Amino acid sequence: MEVNQAKQEHLLALKVMRLTKPTLFTNLPVTCEDRDLPGDLFAQLMREDPSTIKGAEALMLGEMLTLPQNFGNIFLGETFSSYISVHNDSNQVVKDILVKADLQTSSQRLNLSASNSAVGELKPECCIDDVIHHEVKEIGTHILVCAVSYTTQYGEKLYFRKFFKFQVLKPLDVKTKFYNAETDEVFLEAQIQNITTSAMFMEKVSLEPSMMYNVTELNTVTSGEDGESTFGKMSYLQPMDTRQYLYCLKPKPEYAEKAGVIKGVTVIGKLDIVWKTNLGERGRLQTSQLQRMAPGYGDIRLSLEMIPDTVNLEEPFDIICKITNCSERTMDLVLEMCNTRSIHWCGVSGRQLGKLSPGAFLSLPLILLSSVQGLQSISGLRLTDTFLKRTYEYDDIAQVCVVCPYTNNEC
């Protein structure tokens, strides 16, 4: 913290101190074996040391607390608290004292004073105290500007101010990745790294979805009735350690049927991160709205609503396809089914599906069988729009495991 001292002598003295929680006192124990020259001297001195723990004198951590010796570091998301005191050092009664505290950041100037009204008078050796709080939401240089104006007993109006400069550092490094599933589901992977020099207790890491999505956290392992966190019971993040959080977003029912709406949605939501540091000092960080690159479905989207995991060799099985018109025009569709080396479609190829309006969809049950054992890819569907004479081919729609029912040999 840098302070610009006022050159003029004033009747009042201004003191500004940052309020932080103390830390646990640590000492450096000195020990030796009993056969060494000091004998039991070091052990006796440590037992008499009031800062050590009785019965565990060799531990560095003591029972006492240490008050902050310097300004320390301020991190984004923490609450900056400061104690402001104006003391009358003179033997005169000072009148109309007004104390104002502003915080200047790179983008704005904030008034932190609890009251903007002046104090009527201040007698000698008396003081005016105030505590200000501010949740830090910007990184970079911050300047606390404290201004004091008052009137002497002779009617002279005086004014002075002091500047306190400090840096706000970044506590966490947050990286996100999006994965678009074959359905309308979106998976978000959030990598959170502690880039401070002390451990953090991660109280909460949640995703607040946008209005079109519901979110499911995938950071617990279900065992019995209660789910256990994938990070264990102690949710501590050591310096420079990284954790990965996973979330699944699904469109709300009222938007899931609107293919054109979901197709263009890029805003997913924002992360809300809450942590605690030494002796419970709390910090909170919210990211800006996370945006993904909208998937390109084209004019027609074909997805699977139902498919079995395992099927028997050369036995027909059912699937349900969902065909969605993602364009802004009506289509007249014809379905063609082309056999591959391993996949054989059952039914009539070239059948009319009818007209499909923009944003509408239809569910289509199909039957097929596999003539080859193993993990097989379902391919060979072709849709043709008779209005524009445009054909859409779909390969590698999904995969299915084909087993032999006689030997029970799975792929």
Side-chain angles (χ1 to χ4, degrees), residues 74-338:
I74 297 181
F75 293 99
L76 183 69
E78 294 182 344
T79 299
F80 169 71
S81 301
S82 183
Y83 168 72
I84 300 177
S85 177
V86 177
H87 186 268
N88 188 353
D89 292 342
S90 68
N91 55 4
Q92 304 178 19
V93 177
V94 179
K95 298 181 180 180
D96 300 330
I97 305 99
L98 179 62
V99 182
K100 186 178 180 182
D102 292 339
L103 185 63
Q104 178 69 54
T105 69
S106 58
S107 62
Q108 58 183 335
R109 188 183 182 102
L110 304 171
N111 181 19
L112 305 183
S113 301
S115 174
N116 292 322
S117 59
V119 178
E121 65 175 20
L122 186 64
K123 296 180 180 180
E125 301 301 324
C126 293
C127 62
I128 301 173
D129 299 325
D130 190 16
V131 177
I132 58 175
H133 304 280
H134 174 67
E135 184 178 349
V136 182
K137 298 181 180 180
E138 296 182 39
I139 60 175
T141 303
H142 288 57
I143 302 176
L144 180 63
V145 183
C146 297
V148 179
S149 62
Y150 62 96
T151 305
T152 66
Q153 63 181 3
Y154 304 108
E156 183 182 5
K157 295 183 178 182
L158 298 177
Y159 170 87
F160 70 94
R161 61 180 181 173
K162 291 185 178 181
F163 301 87
F164 302 88
K165 184 178 180 181
F166 59 92
Q167 295 287 333
V168 174
L169 306 178
K170 185 179 177 182
L172 299 170
D173 186 23
V174 181
K175 298 178 181 179
T176 57
K177 295 180 181 179
F178 287 103
Y179 304 91
N180 297 313
E182 288 295 330
T183 60
D184 289 326
E185 294 179 343
V186 179
F187 291 90
L188 169 65
E189 176 191 350
Q191 297 180 359
I192 300 177
Q193 183 181 23
N194 177 10
I195 56 177
T196 68
T197 57
S198 59
M200 289 182 177
F201 173 77
M202 306 304 292
E203 184 175 297
K204 183 181 75 170
V205 179
S206 61
L207 176 64
E208 297 179 1
S210 61
M211 61 178 293
M212 293 187 179
Y213 285 95
N214 292 321
V215 63
T216 302
E217 293 192 12
L218 304 178
N219 304 309
T220 55
V221 178
T222 304
S223 57
E225 297 182 356
D226 300 329
E228 182 180 351
S229 172
T230 55
F231 308 110
K233 297 181 180 180
M234 305 303 291
S235 186
Y236 286 99
L237 191 60
Q238 298 295 332
M240 304 312 295
D241 280 0
T242 302
R243 279 187 178 176
Q244 293 171 304
Y245 295 83
L246 187 61
Y247 303 90
C248 176
L249 297 106
K250 296 182 180 180
K252 293 182 178 179
E254 57 267 31
Y255 299 106
E257 309 301 333
K258 301 178 182 179
V261 175
I262 294 297
K263 174 184 176 182
V265 172
T266 59
V267 177
I268 297 300
K270 57 185 178 181
L271 287 171
D272 186 14
I273 307 170
V274 181
W275 70 90
K276 289 182 179 179
T277 54
N278 296 334
L279 296 180
E281 285 187 288
R282 193 169 181 265
R284 182 181 181 183
L285 185 63
Q286 279 191 331
T287 65
S288 56
Q289 288 288 346
L290 303 176
Q291 294 189 348
R292 62 159 181 167
M293 183 176 295
Y297 296 138
D299 293 339
I300 303 178
R301 181 185 179 190
L302 188 145
S303 58
L304 289 182
E305 290 185 327
M306 190 275 292
I307 181 174
D309 295 329
T310 304
V311 298
N312 291 331
L313 182 67
E314 297 180 349
E315 289 186 9
F317 61 93
D318 298 324
I319 65 173
I320 298 178
C321 295
K322 180 180 179 181
I323 301 173
T324 306
N325 184 358
C326 298
S327 68
E328 298 179 355
R329 56 184 174 81
T330 301
M331 295 184 175
D332 187 20
L333 298 177
V334 175
L335 174 67
E336 297 180 73
M337 299 179 292
C338 305

